[in-house]
Amino acid sequence: MTGLCNKIFRTKPISAAAKICHSGLWKTHAEIKRCLLTFVTMPEIIDANRITGEDCFLVRLLVEEMAQLEAAIDTLAKFGPVTTSVILASYPSKAIVART
């Protein structure tokens, strides 16, 4: 059965979304700046959004291998709990039309 895994070839990168929760660990807004500086250094992160609610950030990641995703999650987890979802499919963004 182990030989079966060697026959699977991925042609597209793995896309994932990760939410980072501050979990009451952050004492100041300086932590937000530290997160943003870390995001800039991570080539896996292609999009970052500061959000409301229990979570502070929603980032999108693009990696070639699951090991890269795991390493990215480990880096993000230094800032608090991380919830990650692998993106199965993406659809075109809808056009936003101004109403007159």
Side-chain angles (χ1 to χ4, degrees), residues 33-90:
K33 189 172 185 176
R34 280 186 49 227
C35 282
L36 294 173
L37 290 172
T38 300
F39 297 164
V40 169
T41 66
M42 296 177 67
E44 305 91 345
I45 294 181
I46 59 170
D47 187 35
N49 299 280
R50 187 165 175 209
I51 59 176
T52 61
E54 186 176 331
D55 299 311
C56 286
F57 289 101
L58 173 66
V59 297
R60 271 194 350 156
L61 303 104
L62 204 56
V63 297
E64 295 295 324
E65 301 291 332
M66 283 302 228
Q68 290 173 292
L69 180 58
E70 184 178 9
I73 292 167
D74 290 345
T75 299
L76 295 174
K78 295 175 185 174
F79 297 106
V82 178
T83 303
T84 309
S85 299
V86 172
I87 297 171
L88 298 176
S90 294

Side-chain angles (χ1 to χ4, degrees), residues 6-19:
N6 294 334
K7 303 278 185 206
I8 298 173
F9 298 101
R10 192 173 13 264
T11 58
K12 293 184 179 180
I14 300 163
S15 183
K19 294 186 294 183

